[in-house]
């Protein structure tokens, strides 16, 4: 797995408050350090994320430029007619009604995404409670999310066990330092949910024609790469 490169923290992580060897400033164990492969994977993910964002922004700018410059006369004509119709509608319907509809639609989307996030958090905490029961907890516990992460050690869930369980059950790639910034079980649940490829966090895109009218319309706008097609 490569050599281990220890990362020094400016302060003691909240998950390890009950570890005297770390609070006394001693060297962290090898298990809590990042390997060169882990660091390489992090940099590759960061590079791919930046590249995808730049590619998306440049593609949108290019399509809008081609739309305005009438690169495709049919598509640009449709856009001109749509703008004229919207201008006519805006002169008949009060602007406050249009803005109220947009605000209501935004709140609807936020409510649906928040419901999905809370549901994933409850499911993770339930599975975490079952893990605690299976590893010799003195009593049957049911985590709610408001508890500090230190209660995991008290209920038989060590950091090493937590990492192996998350990587095995949720297909994540955590190391032992990935949970340092999690001060509560709710933050831990959100971290796992956002990092797991097996949990569907984004709402499914409806394939109907009205799901993304403007985006679907821009798909028909030619890009500059069509100039080099044979």
């Amino acid at each position: 797995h490569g050599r281990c490169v220890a990362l020094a923290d400016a302060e003691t992580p909240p998950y390890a408050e009950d570890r005297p060897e770390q609070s006394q400033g001693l060297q962290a164990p090898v298990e809590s350090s990042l390997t060169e492969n882990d660091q390489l994977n992090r940099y590759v993910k960061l590079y791919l994320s930046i590249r995808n964002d730049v590619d998306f922004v440049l593609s949108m700018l290019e399509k809008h430029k081609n739309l305005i410059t009438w690169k495709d006369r049919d598509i640009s004509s449709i856009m001109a007619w749509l703008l004229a119709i919207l201008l006519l509608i805006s002169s008949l319907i009060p602007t406050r009604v249009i803005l109220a509809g947009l605000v209501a639609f935004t709140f609807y989307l936020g409510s649906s995404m928040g419901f999905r996030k809370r549901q994933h958090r409850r499911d993770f905490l339930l599975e975490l409670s079952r893990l605690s029961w299976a590893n010799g907890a003195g009593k049957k516990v049911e985590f709610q999310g408001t508890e500090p992460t230190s209660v995991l050690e008290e209920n038989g869930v060590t950091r090493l066990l937590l990492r192996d369980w998350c990587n095995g059950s949720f297909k994540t790639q955590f190391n032992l330092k990935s949970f340092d910034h999690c001060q509560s079980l709710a933050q831990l649940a959100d971290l796992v949910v956002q990092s797991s490829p097996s949990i569907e966090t984004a709402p499914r895109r409806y394939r109907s024609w009205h799901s993304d009218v403007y985006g679907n319309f821009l798909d028909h706008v030619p890009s500059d790469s069509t100039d080099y097609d044979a």
Side-chain angles (χ1 to χ4, degrees):
H1 298 288
R3 294 173 301 180
C4 293
V5 182
L7 298 179
D9 288 339
E11 57 184 9
T12 304
Y15 188 72
E17 292 177 349
D18 54 347
R19 298 188 178 185
E21 67 274 13
Q22 292 189 8
S23 60
Q24 296 175 1
L26 300 179
Q27 184 178 3
V30 176
E31 285 290 339
S32 64
S33 60
L34 289 175
T35 65
E36 292 178 343
N37 291 334
D38 293 334
Q39 291 184 340
L40 178 61
N41 291 333
R42 293 174 61 185
Y43 290 138
V44 169
K45 289 181 179 179
L46 178 61
Y47 163 74
L48 293 177
S49 176
I50 296 175
R51 187 194 65 176
N52 293 336
D53 292 341
V54 172
D55 178 72
F56 174 77
V57 172
L58 293 180
S59 176
M60 294 298 293
L61 290 176
E62 180 186 75
K63 289 187 175 183
H64 283 86
K65 185 263 296 182
N66 293 337
L67 183 64
I68 297 174
T69 56
W70 293 72
K71 188 179 183 70
D72 189 309
R73 183 173 296 274
D74 295 334
I75 300 299
S76 298
S77 300
I78 295 175
M79 176 56 69
W81 278 106
L82 289 177
L83 290 177
I85 294 174
L86 290 177
L87 181 61
L88 178 62
I89 293 176
S90 63
S91 63
L92 300 176
I93 301 177
T95 306
R96 61 178 179 273
V97 176
I98 300 177
L99 292 179
L102 292 177
V103 171
F105 181 69
T106 303
F107 272 96
Y108 168 76
L109 292 179
S111 176
S112 61
M113 295 181 65
F115 175 79
R116 186 179 293 102
K117 178 180 179 180
R118 291 188 294 271
Q119 182 63 43
H120 288 319
R121 180 186 296 176
R122 286 193 295 267
D123 294 341
F124 173 81
L125 292 175
L126 178 59
E127 295 296 330
L128 186 61
S129 300
R130 292 174 179 173
L131 177 68
S132 176
W133 304 341
N135 285 272
K139 58 181 180 179
K140 185 176 181 180
V141 295
E142 186 172 349
F143 299 125
Q144 301 297 328
T146 57
E147 304 90 338
T149 51
S150 58
V151 301
L152 294 178
E153 293 275 2
E154 302 171 0
N155 290 276
V157 182
T158 63
R159 177 176 287 212
L160 180 61
L161 175 62
L162 178 64
R163 182 204 63 177
D164 295 340
W165 175 68
C166 290
N167 292 344
S169 301
F170 300 97
K171 301 180 180 179
T172 56
Q173 296 182 354
F174 291 140
N175 54 68
L176 294 180
K177 298 182 72 67
S178 300
F179 313 111
D180 286 349
H181 67 280
C182 298
Q183 299 181 356
S184 65
L185 295 185
Q187 294 178 353
L188 175 63
D190 294 340
L191 174 65
V192 176
V193 169
Q194 293 296 328
S195 304
S196 174
S198 60
I199 300 178
E200 185 179 3
T201 56
R204 293 194 177 188
R205 179 182 175 184
Y206 296 102
R207 296 302 177 180
S208 55
W209 63 271
H210 56 80
S211 60
D212 188 7
V213 178
Y214 191 69
N216 293 334
F217 181 79
L218 284 181
D219 290 340
H220 298 279
V221 179
S223 63
D224 292 340
S225 59
T226 57
D227 298 336
Y228 305 98
D229 293 342

